[in-house]
Amino acid sequence: MHWAVTDSTRPPPDPLLVTIADYVTGPTEFAADAYSTARNCLIDTIGCGLLALRFPECTKLLGPIVPGATFPGGARVPGTSLELDPVQAAFNIGCMIRWLDFNDTWLAAEWGHPSDNLGGILAVADYLCRREAGAFTMRDVLAAMIQAHEIQGVLALKNSFNRVGLDHVLLVKVASAAVVTRLLGGTRDQIIDALSQAWVDGQSLRTYRHAPNTGSRKSWAAGDATSRAVRLALITLKGEMGMPSALTARQWGFQDVLFGGKPVELERPLGCYVMENILFKISFPAEFHAQTAVEAAVALYPKVAGRLDQIREIKVWTHESAMRIICKTGPLNNPADRDHCLQYMIAIGLLHGDLAAEHYESAFHHADARIDTLRSLMVIQEDPQYTRDYLDPSRRSIANALQIIFKDGSTTDRVAVEYPIGHRRRRGEGIPLLERKFLSNLRTRFPEKQVQQIADLSLDQDRLERTGVDQWMRLLVIN
């Protein structure tokens, strides 16, 4: 192989790094709707983490990375008595909130869950506030969430990392690195350096999200990414140099090595678009491409509950992304396998008229042979219009439709649901249910008096924004 002589002159930073750094260091005054949605995102995300504490497979991963390595006065982990260094606290919080696949979602060329960034944001903000009272208010946390959502979400609009086998948590690492470096006091140049570290860092492969390797790593991968971002930020603030052409360097940069030579681009200017349009998982802890399918199955439940043994075929119309990532046959080996199986989630909806986290557990699955029987009757097909509407910026639907055909030839209506209840187009219907979900999740961890204290503050936009991060976190711990 012939190697060309390389010019060692260090170039100016890649424009994408500069654009993100300028955005993060710019004004953090966003639209009122963005702050309101960020507060709803905050309470929903924390609630999802609290609910996950009921599952031993999650809690076994929490705590210090080395047993006994306590950090008094460190960042706190909601729903526990843990105090940890901010890197490990970010992992703990990120692991909790992602465990049940019940937090917010963003769907575009790339998928993801921007609230995963809260692990790093909350850990760093609480850690700093415990050293300097009043260093950050909850409004600062909401602004940081808006920025992290925007960076991750706008990068996802045009750039499909999944198509080259990379997992979307690389965007959590990038967004968290930018925002937490600012929270830690980093300059514009240091944010550029930290971002370059995030892009050249080893990136996760999606294989842990897909058969035959689907497993629980998909539930802690985002916690790992946001905590890694905190570590990279701290290293940068010690004076570690960055790599200005981390993305664009010929042969050795991210774009040539991992992205097929394509440029990583921003489809729109950075503002607060993503937070204002974020998708909430309100009704079901299910991979988001299946939310409307489960809703359709629940709607059909009264019509099939007494006729399950009479079903000949279950027709399902869906969009290309669902076909590609959650349509699977064969044995389902663990909860992570089941909550990424379109057929399994539909079957539970038809059998029980609901879908809860407990329905993914192995004991539940193995005790009911009807689940796999219904899976075997499903015929999944892409509806091209659903795929077009999924990608259309003016629609952004996540449509699914179901129809049941019985052995006697009779059928149900075709039940189609275009937008899940957590979509912006259904905000008025969804937010009261989201608040109810938050209260329910609080009650899985705290006594009623503490539930009411947390809810009274967290549901009041003005009061919450004025509250110090350390004061809010104090309400969420177990002494």
Side-chain angles (χ1 to χ4, degrees):
M1 179 181 292
H2 175 72
W3 297 96
V5 176
T6 302
D7 183 355
S8 64
T9 304
R10 287 174 77 84
D14 287 332
L16 179 65
L17 307 182
V18 173
T19 298
I20 295 173
D22 286 343
Y23 168 67
V24 169
T25 55
T28 55
E29 292 303 314
F30 302 107
D33 186 48
Y35 278 104
S36 174
T37 306
R39 182 186 58 78
N40 285 321
C41 183
L42 172 72
I43 64 174
D44 186 55
T45 304
I46 290 298
C48 292
L50 296 173
L51 183 63
L53 295 176
R54 297 174 61 186
F55 293 82
E57 290 300 301
C58 174
T59 57
K60 75 179 184 183
L61 299 175
L62 305 186
I65 193 166
V66 177
T70 58
F71 197 91
R76 291 162 290 193
V77 179
T80 76
S81 59
L82 294 168
E83 298 183 30
L84 304 169
D85 72 84
V87 175
Q88 188 62 9
F91 174 82
N92 277 238
I93 299 169
C95 182
M96 287 166 52
I97 63 183
R98 198 61 206 99
W99 192 262
L100 296 177
D101 203 0
F102 213 178
N103 57 324
D104 70 8
T105 298
W106 185 250
L107 303 177
E110 187 54 59
W111 315 299
H113 310 271
S115 60
D116 292 338
N117 295 286
L118 186 61
I121 292 168
L122 205 53
V124 166
D126 188 42
Y127 171 75
L128 293 175
C129 275
R130 298 193 80 185
R131 275 148 181 73
E132 181 185 344
F136 296 107
T137 65
M138 291 303 295
R139 183 176 176 85
D140 296 319
V141 167
L142 299 182
M145 290 175 65
I146 292 168
Q147 289 184 323
H149 271 63
E150 189 75 357
I151 295 166
Q152 179 174 348
V154 174
L155 279 168
L157 290 176
K158 191 173 184 178
N159 307 292
S160 181
F161 301 95
N162 64 81
R163 288 193 179 273
V164 294
L166 298 179
D167 193 31
H168 54 71
V169 298
L170 84 89
L171 295 181
V172 175
K173 192 188 316 182
V174 168
S176 287
V179 173
V180 301
T181 303
R182 176 180 66 78
L183 292 176
L184 287 162
T187 65
R188 173 181 178 273
D189 288 344
Q190 287 172 321
I191 292 168
I192 291 172
D193 290 343
L195 281 166
S196 75
Q197 296 287 355
W199 281 108
V200 304
D201 215 28
Q203 309 301 347
S204 298
L205 305 181
R206 279 191 63 89
T207 190
Y208 50 74
R209 296 192 190 275
H210 297 277
N213 294 309
T214 314
S216 53
R217 179 164 178 154
K218 75 179 182 61
S219 297
W220 57 260
D224 185 51
T226 193
S227 69
R228 180 69 177 168
V230 177
R231 179 172 177 80
L232 294 176
L234 291 168
I235 290 173
T236 299
L237 292 173
K238 285 186 174 182
E240 177 61 23
M241 68 178 67
M243 292 138 286
S245 58
L247 285 157
T248 63
R250 292 189 62 185
Q251 187 173 354
W252 307 114
F254 177 90
Q255 293 176 171
D256 276 5
V257 175
L258 295 175
F259 210 49
K262 298 190 297 292
V264 179
E265 299 176 312
L266 295 172
E267 186 174 86
R268 56 179 293 128
L270 297 172
C272 53
Y273 170 80
V274 175
M275 183 60 82
E276 291 179 338
N277 290 279
I278 199 64
L279 302 165
F280 289 115
K281 291 186 181 181
I282 295 176
S283 299
F284 313 110
E287 203 282 337
F288 210 90
H289 295 93
Q291 290 280 318
T292 54
V294 179
E295 194 170 336
V298 170
L300 284 169
Y301 167 74
K303 299 179 181 180
V304 303
R307 304 182 64 187
L308 293 169
D309 60 345
Q310 302 173 36
I311 295 175
R312 186 180 77 204
E313 185 177 82
I314 302 168
K315 289 188 174 181
V316 182
W317 294 267
T318 190
H319 45 281
E320 185 273 339
S321 292
M323 294 287 293
R324 184 150 46 97
I325 67 171
I326 57 171
C327 181
K328 69 174 77 164
T329 59
L332 301 174
N333 302 299
N334 51 62
D337 227 355
R338 297 176 197 113
D339 75 7
H340 271 56
C341 175
L342 178 64
Q343 292 92 325
Y344 187 92
M345 292 179 273
I346 291 171
I348 297 298
L350 292 172
L351 285 167
H352 298 280
D354 195 11
L355 176 63
E358 289 77 9
H359 290 140
Y360 298 120
E361 295 300 303
S362 296
F364 181 89
H365 180 201
H366 298 327
D368 192 345
R370 299 175 303 168
I371 299 172
D372 288 340
T373 297
L374 289 181
R375 287 176 61 210
S376 71
L377 298 175
M378 293 183 198
V379 177
I380 315 291
Q381 56 190 300
E382 179 189 357
D383 185 317
Q385 188 61 50
Y386 288 176
T387 298
R388 288 191 290 271
D389 290 346
Y390 174 90
L391 296 171
D392 184 344
S394 68
R395 296 184 64 82
R396 294 288 186 203
S397 69
I398 311 102
N400 283 281
L402 270 64
Q403 185 177 41
I404 311 298
I405 301 171
F406 296 101
K407 293 176 181 177
D408 64 5
S410 62
T411 69
T412 66
D413 292 335
R414 171 172 159 156
V415 176
V417 182
E418 280 193 273
Y419 299 97
I421 199 167
H423 197 281
R424 188 178 187 180
R425 294 193 181 206
R426 296 177 69 181
R427 281 284 193 266
E429 181 184 359
I431 294 305
L433 298 178
L434 183 137
E435 292 177 352
R436 190 184 309 167
K437 174 188 170 188
F438 176 56
L439 289 169
S440 176
N441 288 337
L442 289 177
R443 291 188 174 108
T444 67
R445 202 65 185 168
F446 302 115
E448 190 61 28
K449 181 179 179 181
Q450 196 169 353
V451 168
Q452 290 305 318
Q453 289 176 323
I454 297 168
D456 288 347
L457 176 56
S458 302
L459 298 178
D460 186 323
Q461 186 81 32
D462 292 336
R463 277 187 63 208
L464 180 68
E465 288 189 11
R466 296 194 305 268
T467 301
V469 175
D470 53 332
Q471 296 172 270
W472 188 71
M473 288 290 283
R474 195 180 304 140
L475 291 175
L476 289 163
V477 300
I478 294 176
N479 297 315

